[in-house]
Amino acid sequence: MSAFKEYFVKVSKNEFYKKWLKDAWPYLTGAILLSLFQIVTLATTGNPWGVSGVFANWGAWLYEAVGGSVDKWYYFSSDGAQATLNNGFLNDPGTMRNVGIIFGALLATLLASQFKFKKIKSKKQVIAAIIGGLLMGYGARIAAGCNIGALFSGIASLSLSGWVFAIAMFFGAVVGSKLLVKFFM
Amino acid sequence: MNEVVIDCLGEACPVPLVKAQNKLKEMAVGDVLIVQIDHSCAMKNVPEWARKDGHNVEVEEVDDGEWEVIIEKTH
C-alpha cells in the first residue's frame, strides 16, 4: 500500500503532470482548441457546435419515453428536428458531444485530483440557481441558441446574428453582475 | 499585522473575487487576507487580480479541490 501511495506522490510532483493535468491551461490554448474543434464539428456533422439545443431533444426523448408526443409542438415541427428525434439518442452527434463534455469534465477534475462535492451555502443560492437555470434555458430556446450555438458558432459562421447576440449578452451580463453584487455580497 | 480569513467555500465565480476585493479595501498595508475557495475558476481569477494589483500572493492547495489564496496587502 505504501509503495502505491509513494508512486502517486511521485506522479503528483512530476512537472508534466502539473502542466498538463493539474494546472489550468492558458486561455490561448483553450481558444485555439475551441476553434479547432469547431472546425472538426462543422466538417464531420455539417452543423456548427451547439450545446443547449441538444438538451431540448433530451427532454423530448424523455417525454416520449414516458408516453408523451412532441410531434405537434412548434419547436419540434421542422423536418430536421423530427429527423433528429426519429434517429434516436445514440445517433445524434450533438448528444455524443454533450455526453463527452460531461464525462470529459469529470475525468479532467479526477485526473487533477480536484473532485469535490460543494456544499450549498444558503437557500438564496438554490433559488438563484433554479431561476437562473430556467431563464437561461428558456432564453437559449427563444434565441435559437446559447452562448455556444448562437454566439460562438454564429460569429464563427460569419453570421450577423452572432454579433447581435454578443451585444445583448454584454448588457445582460452587466445587469446580471449588478444583481449578483446586490444579492450575494 | 492582522490576518483575516474569508470563507468562500461553496461560492461560485465571481463571488469570491468581489468579496476579496471588498475585504482588502478595508484592510491596512501589511495585513494578510486568506480566501478559502473551492471553485477552480476563482483559483485563477483571485490570484490574477491580486498580483496585477501589486500584492504578494500565494496559493495553497489544502485539500482535493480546495484552496487558500493568501494575499499580503502591499500598498
Side-chain angles (χ1 to χ4, degrees):
Chain A
M1 192 65 203
S2 81
F4 206 59
K5 206 179 162 185
E6 230 168 75
Y7 175 75
F8 282 109
V9 170
K10 225 171 104 184
V11 168
S12 72
K13 293 205 166 79
N14 182 289
E15 76 173 292
F16 293 105
Y17 170 76
K18 278 189 190 160
K19 205 170 170 183
W20 289 338
L21 297 177
K22 184 86 186 166
D23 295 340
W25 289 0
Y27 293 130
L28 184 66
T29 312
I32 291 168
L33 287 175
L34 282 173
S35 311
L36 282 176
F37 285 124
Q38 175 72 277
I39 295 167
V40 170
T41 286
L42 188 60
T44 53
T45 70
N47 285 311
W49 185 21
V51 175
S52 54
V54 179
F55 290 132
N57 292 339
W58 288 11
W61 278 314
L62 266 178
Y63 189 58
E64 283 174 349
V66 294
S69 166
V70 297
D71 292 357
K72 299 279 177 297
W73 295 15
Y74 175 74
Y75 181 81
F76 295 108
S77 62
S78 73
D79 290 341
Q82 280 298 319
T84 304
L85 289 182
N86 289 336
N87 273 338
F89 186 82
L90 293 172
N91 289 315
D92 178 31
T95 292
M96 286 307 116
R97 193 170 47 229
N98 276 13
V99 169
I101 290 170
I102 293 165
F103 281 99
L106 175 66
L107 185 68
T109 182
L110 286 174
L111 284 172
S113 187
Q114 291 173 350
F115 184 85
K116 187 184 179 221
F117 283 106
K118 297 185 174 85
K119 65 177 175 188
I120 296 166
K121 225 171 185 174
S122 63
K123 251 192 214 144
K124 252 192 328 196
Q125 270 186 339
V126 179
I127 295 163
I130 292 170
I131 296 174
L134 286 173
L135 283 175
M136 280 168 77
Y138 184 72
R141 286 311 87 222
I142 59 170
C146 56
N147 53 351
I148 301 295
L151 175 85
F152 182 52
S153 296
I155 290 175
S157 311
L158 303 181
S159 163
L160 180 64
S161 65
W163 294 99
V164 174
F165 193 95
I167 293 164
M169 203 170 78
F170 173 80
F171 286 108
V174 171
V175 175
S177 17
K178 297 269 183 238
L179 289 173
L180 188 96
V181 170
K182 189 168 177 199
F183 290 107
F184 282 91
M185 291 304 139
Chain B
M1 187 204 91
N2 268 325
E3 198 181 274
V4 183
V5 181
I6 47 175
D7 170 15
C8 291
L9 299 173
E11 303 272 26
C13 270
V15 175
L17 177 66
V18 181
K19 278 194 169 163
Q21 286 173 333
N22 289 344
K23 193 48 121 188
L24 205 71
K25 258 186 227 153
E26 302 167 4
M27 294 165 54
V29 172
D31 286 358
V32 172
L33 175 68
I34 299 176
V35 192
Q36 300 174 323
I37 48 170
D38 59 4
H39 222 248
S40 58
C41 84
M43 196 252 290
K44 216 166 151 61
N45 68 15
V46 174
E48 206 174 79
W49 152 75
R51 286 197 183 109
K52 237 182 224 165
D53 210 33
H55 305 289
N56 295 327
V57 184
E58 243 175 83
V59 184
E60 213 171 296
E61 188 171 0
V62 287
D63 204 348
D64 293 342
E66 214 176 296
W67 299 269
E68 281 184 357
V69 183
I70 304 149
I71 305 166
E72 188 199 351
K73 184 163 171 162
T74 55
H75 60 87

